Amino acid sequence: MEQTQILPPAQTTKRGERAHVHAFSSLKNNENNKDENESQFSFTYVNENAGKAYAVTFLRTDKKTVEHAHAKITCVCPFAPPFDTKKHMAASGASDGSIQIWSLETGALIKRHEKVLAGPVRDVCWSFDGAKVLLAGEGREQFAKCVDAETGTAVKDLSGATRACTTVCGSRKGKPHRVITGSEDFRVRFYTGGPPFQLEQRERAKRRTHTHEKYINEIRMSRDDKYVLSAAGDGIGVWDVETLEMVGDEGRVAAKDGSTYGVAWLDDDEDEENNTIYRFVSSGADKMVKLWKVKDVVRERQVGVDVEIVEILKKTDEEGEEEDDVRLVVKPKTEQHVAKHVTLEDAYSCCGAETNVDDMQIGVCASAETVVSCGLSGKMTVLDVVEVDDKDEFGERKKKKQLRFREEILGHSRPITAMCSVDVSSGSSSSTEKKYQVWTASIRREDDPRPKILVCEYVPETKTIENVREVIKNTPLKKVTKLVNCGNDIVAAIGFDDHLRFASVIDMAFIDDDFDNSNDNNDQECHRRAVKFEQQPIDVCVVSVSVSISQDEEEEEEEEEPLLPKTTKVTTKEVHHCELMITFANGLAKLVPIEYEKSSSSSDNNGGGGELKILFDKIQQIDVRTTIQTTTIQTTTTRRKKEVELSCGRAVQFSSGGGGEKTLFAFGCADEAAVYIFERRNEDGVVEHKQTLERSNASSSCNITCIDFAPNGKHLAVGDSNREIVLWTTTSNAEDEDEDDKDEEERKQEETKEELFFRLLKPRDRRHSKFLHSSRIEDVHWSRSSTSFLSCSLDGRAKIWRNVVRKSSSKSSAVKVVEEDVNAVRGGVRFAQLLYVNNENDENFDKENEDDLETANAHLVCVGADCAVRFFGHTPS
């Protein structure tokens, strides 16, 4: 299987720090038709939790994502000449002081240089020719360096900073090569002549033209090397490279607008008189993306004084002599000059329906026509820069640039903690394509434990991702640990808030629990839409799903035409029944039944929906502690019973041989390799203990991590911490084995088969006598055919074990066990599920075939530690 699609993670964000997003434009040449050149906009960012850098390119109908793994990554910067695709590469820095140079086309590593800085690298930048890499960060004495991209040797240290450097940029046009750094001592330093570089000194030493009053977050140089932008906690500074002074009145910070985290130049433009127009964008704590314009303003300044004689008067002194009385007037001498002035041209608010701290914009990048801004939540907002007609203050028409919303790019910035898939095409008869909703959950940031829940739609036939949205309404307040599909209409969630909550698949929102805690009336509990537990649940699964249909006929009379015959309105109601099992670590489990009503009218063809009902009076508790035989632990002073600690729980309901329904429950032990099997009696609904599954060869440190029943109820897969999946089967399925292959332990089990319910299953292919991973098993799922299963592990691999057991209608042994290994997630796979395709149009598909072709054609979705949602499909033969 190969990766077909990816929902990449978002930028890692921290409050008070800028996000490292950089844009680059490239031109893709069409060899068949050179006139059809496709202009592309791309940008790069990093996810520190995944240890990867990502390059996203906007195509005409899709987006292309390239990823590169770099352990402890902190920043990235691309180098992509528009007409030289061979030099499209990026440099990334890490917290261990290393840098890596890799290809933007494939993500392959080109060069790696270790310990370039003595501390973490906080920013990287390329020289104009791509031959050198500029670094800024932390160290013992040197906080910035210029290194050779090929060898990694330091060309010259950029000395002068007294504290760690936070940002660096260099010339984009050519020589003279300049380097500008910003550091935590609030100073902007200019270097020229390099390499080696010399620190440039300002002409007027008494004026603080090189300083901000707060931390400097980002520095960027214009395309023609004439101006430099500096974003700091006290606003934005626009620097003239020739004079080393800020543009503005008396050298003050231009466009002072609070805490600014990111700035980026737009590609240069020209007016009607061929004068260069400088525009840039900024993002800051005010939750706005602003478009600025640097324009020429004619002003007057004093260059000296003029002394004029107004009049000469004759007067007589005391001695009678005449003398001249001259009156002078001193006038200031001024002249006109052209000054640069920064004006706000447009602003776009990134606030949603409710303003919160996550809307702060902490990074921005831009090209001539596209702007991408990164929020504190990791959400990327893509804006188009368009030209519109406007009027100036005198009423004359002029052209103006504006920011217009295009799309949002969503992703997880932290490891994914829960996932489930929902088949949304099952209720639609208009399309034969399968479509799945994939629900994933993570936490927002290290300092914000609230869950971030994303929903994306995946079409296996076209291998595309559609409609990525974030669930915002009525979301839980704490981390979500499990998500489960309740009949393709409702998604159930448990987490750290000790609640069982429900979300609507159609609305992509959680159902509001309008319970009034101030009212002690117990009757209100029946109207609740969430279940509150006394402790945190660890697992949730679906026991059974059923649908009951009823029709009501009602005669309607036309008010305007009473003589017409009465029409009959037929209302069809579908009541969906679902039973959930919630497992707790202390050895308890609860069965929670819910109902959800759907109704449709034949007269108006409009569907209606009913409310979710939780049947609190039918909640049943399973006590694993009292129903099994606990062992006794002997200590030096006391003798006590061993407590049961559970790690997971699963249930299945299937048709038994007598025509009735049978329900089984299985609970995995968290401190030993034991699984407890329970069965619910159909007569009175009492759940009783049936069997404890233990292996004599299991180590003392082995514990159960995940379990799953086959849909037919005959098989059980158990994953443990010792990297192995153990299969158990019912004694009624013992004919799959030959009598000669039974060992002594199996013969003993056959003798006492009245007391046993499950036994170890030995697969028919002796080369697969064990189902192993190289690390702890995280999740296991049986296929719909009950002959294959899927497993995933912390080793980063997902494996599909096909044809593990025979189909009930076949006695053939020709088909062998097939192991399909997928290198899915770097850092460990937490959850994996099969997404089945529509095989009705496949001529080669045969349901009676011994080989599990349904599972062989299915797609795979995996999530885990790298914060991405990955989809896998089979390559065409």
Side-chain angles (χ1 to χ4, degrees):
M1 300 182 79
E2 67 174 5
Q3 182 173 299
T4 58
Q5 273 293 348
I6 177 177
L7 179 63
Q11 163 77 34
T12 304
T13 59
K14 296 180 182 179
R15 194 168 181 178
E17 296 183 10
R18 77 173 176 100
H20 291 268
V21 289
H22 295 272
F24 63 95
S25 298
S26 58
L27 193 66
K28 184 178 180 181
N29 296 322
N30 191 336
E31 297 179 357
N32 298 327
N33 189 354
K34 295 184 178 180
D35 294 333
E36 296 182 359
N37 292 334
E38 182 181 354
S39 181
Q40 299 177 350
F41 170 76
S42 307
F43 69 96
T44 59
Y45 65 94
V46 300
N47 187 287
E48 298 181 17
N49 297 307
K52 289 184 178 182
Y54 295 86
V56 179
T57 301
F58 290 88
L59 305 175
R60 290 181 179 178
T61 59
D62 198 2
K63 290 189 289 290
K64 174 186 175 183
T65 302
V66 177
E67 53 186 340
H68 171 74
H70 187 178
K72 302 180 181 179
I73 191 172
T74 57
C75 53
V76 65
C77 181
F79 177 75
F83 299 99
D84 190 0
T85 57
K86 295 181 179 180
K87 291 186 177 180
H88 282 196
M89 51 190 177
S92 56
S95 59
D96 58 0
S98 65
I99 62 171
Q100 289 187 7
I101 300 174
W102 47 280
S103 171
L104 286 172
E105 297 292 331
T106 62
L109 179 65
I110 300 175
K111 293 286 182 181
R112 176 180 176 87
H113 307 303
E114 300 286 350
K115 296 295 181 181
V116 180
L117 277 182
V121 179
R122 301 176 65 173
D123 197 11
V124 294
C125 183
W126 287 91
S127 62
F128 65 92
D129 56 357
K132 300 174 181 62
V133 180
L134 308 174
L135 307 175
E138 304 175 17
R140 298 183 180 91
E141 296 179 356
Q142 300 296 332
F143 304 107
K145 281 185 178 182
C146 175
V147 301
D148 186 272
E150 184 69 23
T151 63
T153 57
V155 178
K156 181 67 176 180
D157 292 337
L158 304 174
S159 59
T162 59
R163 298 186 66 180
C165 291
T166 56
T167 179
V168 63
C169 71
S171 299
R172 300 174 61 184
K173 183 179 180 181
K175 296 183 179 180
H177 193 185
R178 284 188 170 90
V179 176
I180 300 94
T181 62
S183 60
E184 292 181 351
D185 57 7
F186 310 152
R187 295 178 64 85
V188 179
R189 290 177 173 83
F190 295 79
Y191 301 86
T192 188
F197 295 96
Q198 301 294 329
L199 181 63
E200 292 188 271
Q201 302 293 332
R202 57 188 180 274
E203 295 179 0
R204 290 173 286 180
K206 295 183 180 181
R207 296 182 60 179
R208 300 177 60 190
T209 59
H210 280 65
T211 60
H212 282 273
E213 296 178 359
K214 292 184 179 180
Y215 285 127
I216 300 172
N217 296 313
E218 189 171 21
I219 288 179
R220 290 292 170 258
M221 181 173 279
S222 63
R223 186 179 294 271
D224 58 2
D225 294 349
K226 290 185 177 180
Y227 298 99
V228 171
L229 293 174
S230 59
D234 58 353
I236 306 169
V238 183
W239 302 80
D240 190 331
V241 175
E242 296 298 329
T243 62
L244 306 183
E245 295 182 357
M246 284 188 184
V247 172
D249 298 335
E250 299 180 1
R252 294 177 299 179
V253 177
K256 191 169 184 178
D257 195 30
S259 183
T260 305
Y261 290 100
V263 287
W265 290 99
L266 273 70
D267 291 348
D268 300 338
D269 196 4
E270 293 184 352
D271 57 11
E272 298 177 354
E273 300 178 356
N274 295 328
N275 296 322
T276 303
I277 301 176
Y278 298 93
R279 287 185 175 91
F280 66 91
V281 290
S282 66
S283 62
D286 58 354
K287 308 174 182 65
M288 304 282 287
V289 179
K290 296 185 176 181
L291 176 62
W292 303 88
K293 181 179 180 180
V294 182
K295 65 178 183 179
D296 295 336
V297 178
V298 179
R299 295 181 178 179
E300 291 185 350
R301 62 183 176 185
Q302 182 177 350
V303 295
V305 294
D306 288 334
V307 180
E308 297 181 0
I309 299 176
V310 179
E311 58 180 335
I312 301 176
L313 300 177
K314 298 290 186 180
K315 68 177 182 178
T316 304
D317 56 7
E318 296 177 354
E319 298 178 357
E321 297 181 357
E322 292 183 355
E323 60 181 8
D324 296 333
D325 186 7
V326 181
R327 294 184 177 183
L328 304 177
V329 176
V330 179
K331 295 182 179 180
K333 184 180 181 180
T334 61
E335 67 176 7
Q336 290 185 343
H337 74 287
V338 179
K340 295 292 183 182
H341 185 63
V342 181
T343 58
L344 179 63
E345 196 166 11
D346 193 23
Y348 177 83
S349 175
C350 296
C351 298
E354 298 180 0
T355 304
N356 53 43
V357 69
D358 289 336
D359 296 324
M360 291 174 53
Q361 301 300 301
I362 59 174
V364 67
C365 62
S367 66
E369 301 176 350
T370 309
V371 175
V372 177
S373 179
C374 179
L376 186 61
S377 63
K379 178 178 65 177
M380 303 278 191
T381 304
V382 184
L383 306 173
D384 288 327
V385 182
V386 297
E387 190 174 57
V388 296
D389 294 329
D390 195 15
K391 293 183 179 180
D392 58 11
E393 55 185 359
F394 302 105
E396 296 181 359
R397 290 184 176 274
K398 66 174 184 178
K399 296 292 184 180
K400 179 183 177 182
K401 297 286 187 178
Q402 281 188 352
L403 300 174
R404 288 185 180 177
F405 175 80
R406 184 201 295 182
E407 63 175 306
E408 291 179 347
I409 301 177
L410 300 175
H412 294 282
S413 57
R414 299 285 299 171
I416 297 175
T417 59
M419 182 196 73
C420 75
S421 62
V422 180
D423 185 1
V424 294
S425 60
S426 59
S428 176
S429 59
S430 59
S431 177
T432 59
E433 287 185 346
K434 283 284 188 179
K435 181 182 288 187
Y436 292 88
Q437 272 189 9
V438 179
W439 291 59
T440 53
S442 65
I443 63 172
R444 294 186 176 273
R445 297 186 307 277
E446 293 181 359
D447 58 345
D448 188 356
R450 293 179 301 159
K452 182 178 184 179
I453 302 175
L454 299 181
V455 182
C456 67
E457 294 181 354
Y458 178 72
V459 182
E461 281 77 5
T462 60
K463 302 177 182 179
T464 56
I465 295 177
E466 303 173 355
N467 302 328
V468 182
R469 298 181 184 178
E470 181 177 0
V471 180
I472 300 176
K473 187 177 179 182
N474 303 323
T475 54
L477 299 179
K478 294 184 179 180
K479 177 180 176 181
V480 174
T481 56
K482 292 287 184 179
L483 293 169
V484 65
N485 174 20
C486 304
N488 295 330
D489 292 315
I490 298 294
V491 171
I494 60 172
F496 282 9
D497 61 352
D498 302 344
H499 276 79
L500 171 65
R501 301 185 183 274
F502 300 94
S504 171
V505 172
I506 298 177
D507 300 333
M508 296 186 188
F510 277 83
I511 301 173
D512 185 20
D513 181 22
D514 54 356
F515 180 71
D516 187 8
N517 292 324
S518 61
N519 196 337
D520 295 334
N521 188 3
N522 293 329
D523 294 338
Q524 284 199 4
E525 189 180 58
C526 299
H527 301 285
R528 294 200 61 178
R529 299 181 181 90
V531 183
K532 177 70 171 67
F533 302 111
E534 297 179 355
Q535 55 184 315
Q536 178 185 329
I538 61 170
D539 203 356
V540 59
C541 70
V542 175
V543 180
S544 62
V545 177
S546 61
V547 180
S548 60
I549 300 177
S550 63
Q551 290 185 349
D552 297 332
E553 296 184 359
E554 181 180 356
E555 294 185 351
E556 292 184 345
E557 182 178 320
E558 297 290 340
E559 297 180 357
E560 298 179 357
E561 302 290 342
L563 298 179
L564 294 177
K566 297 181 180 181
T567 60
T568 302
K569 181 180 180 181
V570 180
T571 303
T572 302
K573 293 183 180 180
E574 292 184 5
V575 180
H576 293 249
H577 308 271
C578 181
E579 187 177 21
L580 300 170
M581 184 180 74
I582 295 86
T583 307
F584 303 91
N586 65 344
L588 294 177
K590 290 190 177 182
L591 302 177
V592 180
I594 63 172
E595 289 183 355
Y596 186 82
E597 180 182 309
K598 283 186 176 182
S599 63
S600 61
S601 174
S602 62
S603 62
D604 54 6
N605 293 327
N606 292 326
E611 292 184 353
L612 174 74
K613 296 180 181 179
I614 302 175
L615 308 180
F616 286 92
D617 55 340
K618 296 183 179 180
I619 293 180
Q620 186 178 2
Q621 178 171 295
I622 303 175
D623 194 345
V624 183
R625 302 168 299 181
T626 58
T627 55
I628 65 172
Q629 296 179 356
T630 56
T631 58
T632 302
I633 300 177
Q634 177 70 40
T635 61
T636 56
T637 57
T638 60
R639 181 184 291 247
R640 62 182 178 86
K641 286 188 175 181
K642 182 181 179 180
E643 296 181 355
V644 177
E645 184 178 355
L646 302 182
S647 61
C648 53
R650 285 293 182 271
V652 64
Q653 187 178 78
F654 58 96
S655 299
S656 61
E661 297 288 337
K662 182 179 291 187
T663 306
L664 299 179
F665 307 93
F667 302 95
C669 192
D671 53 1
E672 62 178 347
V675 178
Y676 309 117
I677 306 296
F678 288 76
E679 182 182 359
R680 180 164 57 189
R681 295 200 301 250
N682 294 331
E683 298 81 11
D684 51 6
V686 176
V687 179
E688 59 181 0
H689 177 240
K690 295 292 293 184
Q691 185 184 4
T692 299
L693 306 181
E694 293 180 314
R695 288 188 300 150
S696 58
N697 59 348
S699 63
S700 59
S701 60
C702 178
N703 54 14
I704 306 301
T705 58
C706 54
I707 53 179
D708 190 41
F709 278 107
N712 61 7
K714 295 182 179 181
H715 313 295
L716 178 66
V718 180
D720 56 34
S721 59
N722 280 4
R723 309 167 293 136
E724 185 177 359
I725 302 103
V726 181
L727 300 185
W728 300 79
T729 186
T730 57
T731 55
S732 61
N733 205 29
E735 62 270 10
D736 285 350
E737 300 293 339
D738 297 331
E739 290 293 334
D740 296 337
D741 294 333
K742 294 181 180 180
D743 53 18
E744 184 177 355
E745 183 179 355
E746 291 177 353
R747 290 193 180 94
K748 292 181 179 179
Q749 291 180 358
E750 287 293 329
E751 295 174 359
T752 58
K753 62 181 180 180
E754 295 81 5
E755 301 177 0
L756 296 180
F757 194 65
F758 277 89
R759 68 176 184 86
L760 282 173
L761 172 67
K762 182 179 292 185
R764 289 166 293 122
D765 190 348
R766 299 310 172 115
R767 292 174 299 174
H768 292 78
S769 59
K770 289 188 177 181
F771 305 97
L772 293 174
H773 281 264
S774 59
S775 186
R776 166 191 169 107
I777 309 298
E778 285 294 308
D779 199 10
V780 61
H781 288 283
W782 279 93
S783 65
R784 295 193 303 195
S785 62
S786 299
T787 61
S788 310
F789 70 91
L790 165 70
S791 63
C792 61
S793 169
L794 288 181
D795 59 6
R797 313 190 80 87
K799 294 185 179 183
I800 302 176
W801 309 88
R802 208 166 76 242
N803 307 322
V804 173
V805 294
R806 292 189 183 98
K807 291 184 179 180
S808 59
S809 60
S810 174
K811 299 296 183 179
S812 173
S813 60
V815 179
K816 299 297 183 180
V817 175
V818 178
E819 176 188 353
E820 195 159 3
D821 193 355
V822 180
N823 189 5
V825 178
R826 182 176 180 266
V829 185
R830 288 292 312 277
F831 303 96
Q833 288 187 6
L834 293 171
L835 305 179
Y836 296 95
V837 299
N838 194 347
N839 295 308
E840 294 179 359
N841 299 327
D842 190 358
E843 298 178 354
N844 298 324
F845 182 75
D846 183 11
K847 293 183 179 180
E848 301 299 328
N849 196 325
E850 173 68 13
D851 192 4
D852 189 2
L853 297 180
E854 187 180 34
T855 304
N857 297 332
H859 286 232
L860 179 66
V861 56
C862 298
V863 298
D866 69 346
C867 316
V869 183
R870 301 178 184 274
F871 298 90
F872 298 88
H874 290 274
T875 58
S877 57

